[in-house]
Amino acid sequence: MSVLIDASSRMLIYGIAGNFGRFSARDLVASGSTVVAGVAPGRGEAAVEGIPVFMDARTACRSTDASAAIVYVPAPAALDAVLEVLDAGCKVVVYPGDGLPVQDAIALRSAARRCGATLVGPNTPGLISPGKAKLGFMPSHCFIPGPLGVVSRSGSLSYEAAWRLTSAGLGQSCAIGIGGDPVKGLNAAEAIELLHADPETQVIIYLGEIGGSDEYALARYAARAGAKPTAALIVGAAAPAGKKMGHAAALVGSALDSQAAKVEALRAAGVHVADTLRNLVPAARAAL
Amino acid sequence: MSVLIDASSRMLIYGIAGNFGRFSARDLVASGSTVVAGVAPGRGEAAVEGIPVFMDARTACRSTDASAAIVYVPAPAALDAVLEVLDAGCKVVVYPGDGLPVQDAIALRSAARRCGATLVGPNTPGLISPGKAKLGFMPSHCFIPGPLGVVSRSGSLSYEAAWRLTSAGLGQSCAIGIGGDPVKGLNAAEAIELLHADPETQVIIYLGEIGGSDEYALARYAARAGAKPTAALIVGAAAPAGKKMGHAAALVGSALDSQAAKVEALRAAGVHVADTLRNLVPAARAAL
Amino acid sequence: MMMTEHAGKSLLLSYGVPVPHGLLVRNAAQVRRWGDVYPAAIKAQVSSGGRGKAGGVLRVAHPQEAAAAAQRLLALEFAGERPSTLLIEPWIEHTRELYLALTIDGEAGGYSVLYAPAGGIEVEDNPPIRYGFGEPADFRAHVLRDRLGPVEQDAGVRERVVAMARRLLFIATSVDATTVEINPLAVLPDGKLLALDAKVVLDEAAAFRQAATAAERVKARRREPRMVQRALAGNLMMVALDGDIGLISGGAGMTMAGMDMLAAAGLKPACFLDCSSNPTPAGYQLAFDLLDGERRVKAILVSIFGGGTQVDRVAKTLEAIMAARRSRKPVVIRINGTGRERADAILRDAGLYNQPTLESALEAMIAAVPPR
Amino acid sequence: MMMTEHAGKSLLLSYGVPVPHGLLVRNAAQVRRWGDVYPAAIKAQVSSGGRGKAGGVLRVAHPQEAAAAAQRLLALEFAGERPSTLLIEPWIEHTRELYLALTIDGEAGGYSVLYAPAGGIEVEDNPPIRYGFGEPADFRAHVLRDRLGPVEQDAGVRERVVAMARRLLFIATSVDATTVEINPLAVLPDGKLLALDAKVVLDEAAAFRQAATAAERVKARRREPRMVQRALAGNLMMVALDGDIGLISGGAGMTMAGMDMLAAAGLKPACFLDCSSNPTPAGYQLAFDLLDGERRVKAILVSIFGGGTQVDRVAKTLEAIMAARRSRKPVVIRINGTGRERADAILRDAGLYNQPTLESALEAMIAAVPPR
């Protein structure tokens, strides 16, 4: 096992019959992931892109031994759909949707823990272990295998960052999109611990932003004895205070929320920090 | 162990410093129960009626090994107080108060189950195992030891019934007030199972009323193979339809809620049914 | 405590459940404000069920018919209640009527979803299926979907019903409702759902944290007879009955048992009056005042079996009340329970007699007020 | 999305939290309706914090002073917002000011209670203690009581604060609020608590099940600049900035990264504009329309790195938009991600150039619009 998923992961796509579900099915199969089942409650299709489709997650998991799932439903349906795949026995669940009420995110985070499962998301492109498996929709060509474990609060930024690293020959053991919401199934501290425990990860690359306190979890990690080397890019220096920048959590409300404060705390903890994308590859190289 | 409590039960009174808590402390001590601790958050007293008083349930339980509790707080505070005694490790908890929002009753019932504990109530005088222990405030002189296990939805009615049985020389193994609310910590079916499993109980006496479906649980029990003999009193024949008779659940909304329907179902299941208090002792005798 | 249809629908709407766009009117003249969307439904707004069967919903095709219907409905009584408002709504085209409810279920130890594929009044012939799940965290849409399978063939309807059930649960916990029932729940030609009626029952016990419930309780009390209003204001539980024996009791079960004993003896209780929520001198005094002041009450039976209510205190209270009382209506007393021996002595010293049993108390009552 | 104080207090009151009895007025003349309870507090109603420090709360001793204060407050701006209403309340005698809040806490994975024994503006010097408990079912009054112990000596206050925290949690879950903050929470001479201010932040994501939130969102949008209103109406995320380079991007992090890169190159972004929530031809067309129509925007940078957003589709859309576009503002394009090779070809065939990197795109932009 790499981090959370690897080549042996048997995957399920919940909501496979929608447009995005179909796109993702094609994309996942093309990336080499083993997609064994789709779920589409209330639809009549037998298969999508050659993947058998079931009316509910329990039947899907029983019939195919799926144990990892990505759930494509709109936010109002997310609570029930994710509970369904958790109840069906999936141990890694990605919910990529944004606009999930925080209250529902809290309920899902707790439900996943009670099931001994890991929820990644909301508001995430998922995760990828380059060369092994992908459970998400990040562009595969941006990623190559290597020693960097990437944690990101932002999807698109993680593609850009991975593409730069890959272009520079710096491959990734794994890239986890933890999402841009304040309450996450897997938060920064937890994602960092997964990478810390992963023997294939030599350096942890963190892609963060203004608002929230996830970056301080990285600072605490970097300062502790035995930590792996770390590098980070923190965006949002040009964002004005008091305005939400797209992500529910990306808002400078207090001094600690600002890019400058975060960069300072990370540097003090020994993290190699890039203040713009331009410095990301040098920072990663410095950490290696 | 008798049912839920016996002479070895170490009891805690939560809310001991209020008027009712003080009365109950005197009454419980007089009844021979072993009250080892009181809890009165925010009060400064060291002892009430010779019982040591603590600021919180955890300290009280750690210091005194209390494992059964009765909680005297008003309904708005019940959720938190009962969660506190459950967290402190009490395995039998009586909440006598009425006017508890059903939503809170549901939360408490679930919380008790997760803790492996039994909640009795809300809206109950508690329970008594005559000659052994009492965790409640029913008048002790109405009860004597004997073979009848009593389950009651109503406090005052259970006193009257017990007094009649006792006066007729028919003692009780245990009397459990399950309360008059629709959602109960311990419901009729569960209370009946406890009495079924209790070797000292030979006959089950059920005191019920209009509304709700608890009485049908008794009918199901009585009809099954190996059931102990049962007798019941169902009150509310004179109550008009559509009006709530004091208890939150005592309301004839549909045909099955009526006294007549319940009496008929119970008789069909082989229960000896009294339709008024006058016939209770004969019904109990018939069941013995 | 049941909300009127309009109040219930407003509540549903505030949580995003679609309802028809209606207008509340207080008299036939206001019907004109409805404009010209006909045919329309005009519906009596009352706080009890069974309105449909009692003719409380009328279909009207034009303004004149609407005004006449309004006049007729405002003159009707529903379970003793005269509607003070009417709801006018467009008569909505729909393909099916479903039944969906979220309610409290004692056996499930919590909440339950009820569903029937044929709603409206037909639901009485084909009882709904039940999904009892207990606490809110244990609601599972996929389990409900499984339960719906055998009774609801339309997968699209099933999915929408499941989502709606989740919403009703959210509403019930947010407003402390014990029932949120939609019957009929219409399926529109485009497949969407629309709540054509709403029955929301609020949990009175939650009034301390739900100002809306507290306000509804005030309104509900105003609909009660004057005597009951005074009792409730004094924290006594009272239901008015049509007999002539005033019953002062304690505890719901004991009060009902007393009513049943009176009835079995050929006597008629004038009320269900449970003083256990306010077993104080003021509470008992109010109970006596109410029954002494009610002309049809001929005699009073005090029947109390106290546990937490210490009956020696009750005896002292009765002593004081009886000493000051002017009414000549006969009073029969039977109290027992915690402090019974002291109570006996107090009553004896006051020249009052504590009947040893309910049976002897009834005999004394029959002697004082023979049944007709 | 922050509610005004008055809206927040009304909400608190509807869940049984005591607040002062106030009056909302729209102008100085309406202040007369307040009657004669003086001294009074008169407070600007705005949807952002820091009002107290900005002089938005005044104490007035008599009607003339109140009218003058009203005039003054209505003329002020708070974080760019002119108050449209004022709240007048009696100036309440109290013995202490506390700070209490229920909020979302990422580290706790859920909710948190914040408490400080000295509220008001003093709370900034003595940060509150925090009890992060996660999901609502895990709130434990006794744990909060333990946490309060070291900072709050008054056991009576402690008990009331614990009960109030429980209530705030109930409110937060019922209305989908991410923050319910009371500062100051007054201790009255009789020991009871009274919310002297209220800051309620609603979770916009819950608008589908909270009609009140949907309505607040409409109000909040009306306060935005016209360009932002149009963007939000078209399901694009936009924040207006004061620069001159229009940035069309996708994803919050990538958009911020683009802003930072522009700033680092000496250029000034005119906006944060994230099209990832509507990556359709209509969405991108709207983005161009807005920036082409905004005079201060001198050039446009399209910076998209698509995953789920397939950039070959984006390229086709750009081809169509650029072909029909009349504005002569320079446009620099840099797209990458899923379908990148096809995108390159499409743009090339359309005579457009896809910059290989953000850095090269910035160079092109500097060439087109040199920084001042």
Side-chain angles (χ1 to χ4, degrees):
Chain A
M1 177 64 81
S2 161
V3 173
L4 294 173
I5 52 168
D6 66 12
S8 71
S9 297
R10 298 175 67 78
M11 298 178 183
L12 175 158
I13 300 176
Y14 193 106
I16 197 170
N19 281 340
F20 201 87
R22 285 168 200 273
F23 154 71
S24 184
R26 280 193 302 276
D27 178 59
L28 280 176
V29 170
S31 79
S33 283
T34 312
V35 183
V36 296
V39 176
R43 304 277 197 124
E45 257 165 307
V48 165
E49 303 290 328
I51 301 160
V53 177
F54 300 86
M55 290 290 274
D56 65 280
R58 188 175 300 270
T59 314
C61 289
R62 281 204 190 133
S63 308
T64 65
D65 276 337
S67 65
I70 188 159
V71 176
Y72 295 119
V73 299
L79 180 58
D80 288 323
V82 174
L83 286 174
E84 182 176 347
V85 297
L86 289 171
D87 282 358
C90 290
K91 294 302 173 200
V92 178
V93 179
V94 172
Y95 178 66
D98 68 348
L100 183 69
V102 178
Q103 180 170 189
D104 295 1
I106 293 169
L108 287 179
R109 178 178 159 88
S110 296
R113 308 187 132 217
R114 273 194 299 273
C115 294
T118 301
L119 171 68
V120 178
N123 202 358
T124 169
L127 65 158
I128 184 169
S129 293
K132 293 177 178 162
K134 172 168 111 165
L135 187 60
F137 51 78
M138 59 286 287
S140 305
H141 75 267
C142 299
F143 298 83
I144 54 167
L148 308 181
V150 180
V151 175
S152 179
R153 281 174 67 185
S154 164
S156 51
L157 180 61
S158 70
Y159 317 153
E160 171 79 32
W163 177 79
R164 282 172 186 255
L165 295 169
T166 293
S167 304
L170 300 173
Q172 308 89 38
S173 55
C174 173
I176 308 174
I178 57 172
D181 279 12
V183 174
K184 301 166 180 70
L186 181 75
N187 66 27
E190 293 157 344
I192 290 167
E193 289 307 326
L194 290 176
L195 296 176
H196 179 74
D198 172 40
E200 295 171 31
T201 300
Q202 290 168 29
V203 165
I204 296 172
I205 307 287
Y206 180 89
L207 307 172
E209 59 196 35
I210 54 170
S213 56
D214 285 305
E215 288 69 21
Y216 296 100
L218 175 66
R220 282 195 300 276
Y221 170 77
R224 91 181 182 206
K228 293 183 178 177
T230 52
L233 164 67
I234 310 298
V235 301
K243 292 280 186 182
K244 195 163 70 180
M245 293 288 128
H247 280 162
L251 183 146
V252 176
S254 73
L256 286 177
D257 290 336
S258 73
Q259 196 255 11
K262 291 183 172 186
V263 168
E264 191 189 326
L266 290 171
R267 287 199 172 132
V271 181
H272 298 271
V273 184
D275 55 358
T276 71
L277 274 168
R278 218 182 269 269
N279 311 118
L280 175 68
V281 168
R285 284 234 166 82
L288 254 176
Chain B
M1 179 63 82
S2 164
V3 173
L4 294 174
I5 53 167
D6 67 11
S8 71
S9 298
R10 296 176 68 77
M11 298 177 182
L12 174 159
I13 300 176
Y14 194 106
I16 197 169
N19 282 338
F20 202 89
R22 285 168 200 274
F23 154 72
S24 183
R26 281 194 301 277
D27 178 59
L28 280 176
V29 171
S31 78
S33 284
T34 311
V35 182
V36 296
V39 175
R43 303 279 198 126
E45 258 165 307
V48 164
E49 302 289 329
I51 301 160
V53 176
F54 300 86
M55 290 291 273
D56 66 282
R58 189 174 298 269
T59 315
C61 289
R62 281 204 189 133
S63 308
T64 67
D65 276 336
S67 65
I70 188 160
V71 177
Y72 296 119
V73 300
L79 180 57
D80 288 323
V82 174
L83 287 175
E84 181 176 347
V85 298
L86 288 171
D87 282 358
C90 291
K91 294 302 172 197
V92 179
V93 179
V94 172
Y95 179 65
D98 67 350
L100 183 69
V102 178
Q103 179 170 191
D104 294 0
I106 294 169
L108 287 179
R109 179 180 158 86
S110 297
R113 305 184 136 220
R114 276 195 296 272
C115 294
T118 301
L119 171 67
V120 178
N123 202 0
T124 168
L127 66 159
I128 184 170
S129 293
K132 292 176 179 161
K134 173 167 110 166
L135 187 61
F137 51 78
M138 59 287 286
S140 304
H141 74 267
C142 298
F143 298 82
I144 54 168
L148 308 181
V150 181
V151 175
S152 178
R153 281 174 66 185
S154 164
S156 52
L157 181 62
S158 71
Y159 317 154
E160 171 80 32
W163 177 76
R164 282 171 187 254
L165 295 169
T166 293
S167 302
L170 301 172
Q172 307 88 38
S173 55
C174 172
I176 308 174
I178 58 172
D181 279 12
V183 174
K184 302 167 179 71
L186 182 74
N187 66 26
E190 293 158 343
I192 289 166
E193 290 307 326
L194 290 177
L195 295 176
H196 180 74
D198 172 39
E200 294 172 30
T201 299
Q202 290 169 29
V203 166
I204 296 172
I205 308 288
Y206 180 89
L207 307 172
E209 59 196 35
I210 54 170
S213 57
D214 285 305
E215 288 70 21
Y216 296 100
L218 175 66
R220 284 195 299 276
Y221 170 76
R224 91 180 183 206
K228 293 182 178 178
T230 52
L233 165 67
I234 310 298
V235 303
K243 292 280 185 181
K244 194 164 69 181
M245 294 287 129
H247 280 162
L251 181 145
V252 176
S254 73
L256 287 177
D257 289 337
S258 73
Q259 195 256 9
K262 292 185 171 185
V263 167
E264 192 188 323
L266 290 171
R267 285 198 173 131
V271 182
H272 298 272
V273 184
D275 54 357
T276 71
L277 274 168
R278 216 183 270 268
N279 311 119
L280 175 67
V281 168
R285 282 232 166 83
L288 253 176
Chain C
M1 206 168 44
M2 186 176 141
M3 301 176 90
T4 62
E5 175 194 8
H6 179 254
K9 279 180 170 167
S10 302
L11 182 72
L12 290 181
L13 186 63
S14 75
Y15 287 94
V17 176
V19 302
H21 186 77
L23 174 74
L24 201 66
V25 300
R26 309 199 150 268
N27 54 54
Q30 289 183 345
V31 170
R32 260 178 257 135
R33 286 169 25 205
W34 174 238
D36 212 23
V37 185
Y38 287 98
I42 180 160
K43 305 158 101 175
Q45 299 299 292
V46 289
S47 60
S48 59
R51 171 192 65 171
K53 280 192 186 163
V57 177
L58 298 172
R59 184 180 190 276
V60 291
H62 50 74
Q64 292 82 335
E65 207 177 334
Q71 217 134 27
R72 206 151 70 243
L73 289 176
L74 288 166
L76 286 177
E77 279 203 355
F78 300 86
E81 180 188 354
R82 187 74 75 83
S84 63
T85 54
L86 305 173
L87 178 62
I88 313 182
E89 288 177 344
W91 192 270
I92 308 273
E93 281 293 321
H94 53 278
T95 58
R96 284 178 59 195
E97 296 196 341
L98 318 173
Y99 173 96
L100 179 65
L102 189 289
T103 189
I104 297 293
D105 179 338
E107 280 179 64
Y111 298 95
S112 226
V113 172
L114 303 175
Y115 177 76
I121 52 169
E122 283 184 58
V123 77
E124 296 190 7
D125 303 322
N126 298 291
I129 60 149
R130 197 178 74 163
Y131 165 46
F133 54 90
E135 64 173 335
D138 285 341
F139 174 83
R140 285 296 179 275
H142 58 99
V143 177
L144 175 57
R145 187 191 299 133
D146 284 353
R147 301 280 175 91
L148 293 179
V151 300
E152 179 54 64
Q153 313 309 325
D154 185 328
V157 166
R158 223 151 53 208
E159 291 308 306
R160 286 196 159 101
V161 164
V162 168
M164 182 72 82
R166 161 65 78 180
R167 189 68 55 85
L168 299 191
L169 172 60
F170 188 87
I171 296 172
T173 57
S174 294
V175 307
D176 277 301
T178 56
T179 295
V180 185
E181 179 190 278
I182 306 181
N183 183 33
L185 175 62
V187 182
L188 301 183
D190 67 0
K192 289 190 182 150
L193 304 180
L194 183 78
L196 291 189
D197 199 351
K199 176 181 157 189
V200 176
V201 181
L202 296 172
D203 185 354
E204 277 187 69
F208 68 86
R209 66 183 173 208
Q210 300 281 3
T213 300
E216 284 284 337
R217 191 168 57 180
V218 169
K219 278 198 261 174
R221 287 192 174 176
R222 281 206 202 105
R223 288 192 294 263
E224 295 288 348
R226 177 107 186 86
M227 176 175 72
V228 175
Q229 287 191 37
R230 287 182 58 200
L232 296 174
N235 201 16
L236 306 180
M237 293 302 305
M238 188 184 223
V239 176
L241 304 171
D242 53 9
D244 53 11
I245 308 297
L247 174 62
I248 295 176
S249 190
M254 191 60 187
T255 311
M256 280 190 272
M259 284 164 53
D260 290 356
M261 292 280 273
L262 283 168
L267 297 166
K268 290 187 170 171
C271 59
F272 168 99
L273 178 49
D274 174 359
C275 299
S276 63
S277 44
N278 186 12
T280 62
Y284 292 114
Q285 183 68 58
L286 174 60
F288 271 92
D289 288 349
L290 292 174
L291 297 178
D292 282 340
E294 186 74 12
R295 196 171 301 166
R296 68 185 157 88
V297 173
K298 291 202 185 121
I300 293 173
L301 171 62
V302 178
S303 161
I304 288 167
F305 210 120
T309 300
Q310 298 157 64
V311 293
D312 49 334
R313 296 188 181 180
V314 177
K316 273 190 205 149
T317 301
L318 290 176
E319 179 189 2
I321 290 173
M322 293 302 284
R325 183 167 172 264
R326 295 204 177 169
S327 167
R328 291 193 189 165
K329 293 178 184 177
V331 173
V332 176
I333 297 173
R334 192 273 177 154
I335 60 180
N336 197 345
T338 307
R340 190 258 171 105
E341 285 173 18
R342 283 190 301 277
D344 274 345
I346 290 162
L347 291 177
R348 199 185 318 115
D349 293 350
L352 299 167
Y353 181 61
N354 190 11
Q355 293 287 345
T357 65
L358 257 181
E359 283 84 344
S360 70
L362 286 171
E363 280 164 28
M365 184 56 83
I366 288 171
V369 189
R372 272 169 299 184
Chain D
M1 208 171 39
M2 187 174 141
M3 301 176 89
T4 61
E5 175 193 8
H6 180 253
K9 279 181 170 168
S10 300
L11 182 72
L12 290 181
L13 186 63
S14 75
Y15 287 94
V17 175
V19 302
H21 186 78
L23 174 74
L24 202 67
V25 299
R26 307 200 152 268
N27 54 53
Q30 288 183 344
V31 169
R32 262 180 254 132
R33 286 171 24 205
W34 173 240
D36 212 22
V37 185
Y38 285 99
I42 180 159
K43 306 157 101 174
Q45 299 299 290
V46 288
S47 60
S48 59
R51 172 193 63 172
K53 279 191 188 163
V57 177
L58 298 172
R59 184 179 190 276
V60 291
H62 51 73
Q64 291 83 334
E65 207 176 334
Q71 219 133 26
R72 205 151 68 243
L73 289 177
L74 287 167
L76 286 178
E77 277 202 359
F78 301 86
E81 180 188 355
R82 187 74 75 82
S84 62
T85 54
L86 306 172
L87 178 63
I88 312 182
E89 288 177 344
W91 192 269
I92 306 272
E93 281 293 321
H94 53 276
T95 58
R96 286 178 58 194
E97 294 194 342
L98 319 174
Y99 173 95
L100 179 65
L102 188 290
T103 190
I104 297 293
D105 179 338
E107 280 180 65
Y111 297 96
S112 229
V113 172
L114 303 176
Y115 178 76
I121 52 169
E122 284 184 57
V123 78
E124 297 192 7
D125 302 321
N126 299 290
I129 60 150
R130 197 177 74 163
Y131 165 47
F133 54 92
E135 64 173 335
D138 285 340
F139 174 82
R140 284 298 179 277
H142 58 99
V143 177
L144 175 58
R145 188 192 298 134
D146 284 353
R147 300 279 175 91
L148 293 179
V151 299
E152 179 53 66
Q153 313 309 323
D154 185 328
V157 166
R158 222 151 55 209
E159 291 308 306
R160 286 195 160 99
V161 164
V162 168
M164 183 73 82
R166 162 64 80 179
R167 188 67 54 85
L168 299 191
L169 172 60
F170 188 88
I171 295 171
T173 57
S174 295
V175 307
D176 277 302
T178 56
T179 294
V180 185
E181 178 190 278
I182 305 180
N183 183 33
L185 175 63
V187 182
L188 301 183
D190 66 0
K192 290 189 180 148
L193 303 180
L194 183 77
L196 291 189
D197 199 351
K199 175 182 158 190
V200 177
V201 181
L202 296 174
D203 184 355
E204 277 188 70
F208 68 86
R209 66 185 173 206
Q210 301 280 2
T213 300
E216 284 285 336
R217 191 169 55 181
V218 169
K219 277 197 263 175
R221 287 193 174 174
R222 280 208 203 105
R223 288 190 294 264
E224 295 288 348
R226 177 107 187 87
M227 175 176 71
V228 175
Q229 286 190 40
R230 286 182 60 199
L232 297 174
N235 201 17
L236 305 181
M237 294 302 305
M238 187 182 223
V239 176
L241 304 170
D242 51 11
D244 52 12
I245 308 296
L247 175 63
I248 295 177
S249 189
M254 191 60 187
T255 311
M256 281 189 273
M259 285 164 52
D260 291 356
M261 292 278 274
L262 283 169
L267 297 166
K268 288 187 171 173
C271 58
F272 168 100
L273 177 49
D274 173 0
C275 299
S276 63
S277 44
N278 186 14
T280 62
Y284 292 115
Q285 182 68 59
L286 175 59
F288 272 92
D289 288 349
L290 292 174
L291 297 178
D292 281 340
E294 185 75 12
R295 193 170 305 167
R296 69 184 157 87
V297 173
K298 294 203 185 119
I300 293 174
L301 170 63
V302 178
S303 160
I304 288 167
F305 211 120
T309 300
Q310 298 156 64
V311 293
D312 49 335
R313 297 189 181 181
V314 176
K316 275 189 205 151
T317 301
L318 290 176
E319 177 189 5
I321 291 173
M322 294 302 286
R325 185 167 170 264
R326 297 204 176 167
S327 168
R328 293 192 188 165
K329 295 179 184 177
V331 174
V332 177
I333 296 174
R334 191 275 175 151
I335 60 180
N336 197 345
T338 308
R340 189 254 172 107
E341 286 172 20
R342 284 190 300 278
D344 275 344
I346 292 163
L347 291 177
R348 198 184 318 115
D349 293 349
L352 300 168
Y353 181 62
N354 191 11
Q355 294 286 344
T357 65
L358 257 180
E359 283 84 344
S360 71
L362 286 172
E363 280 163 29
M365 185 56 84
I366 287 171
V369 191
R372 275 169 299 183

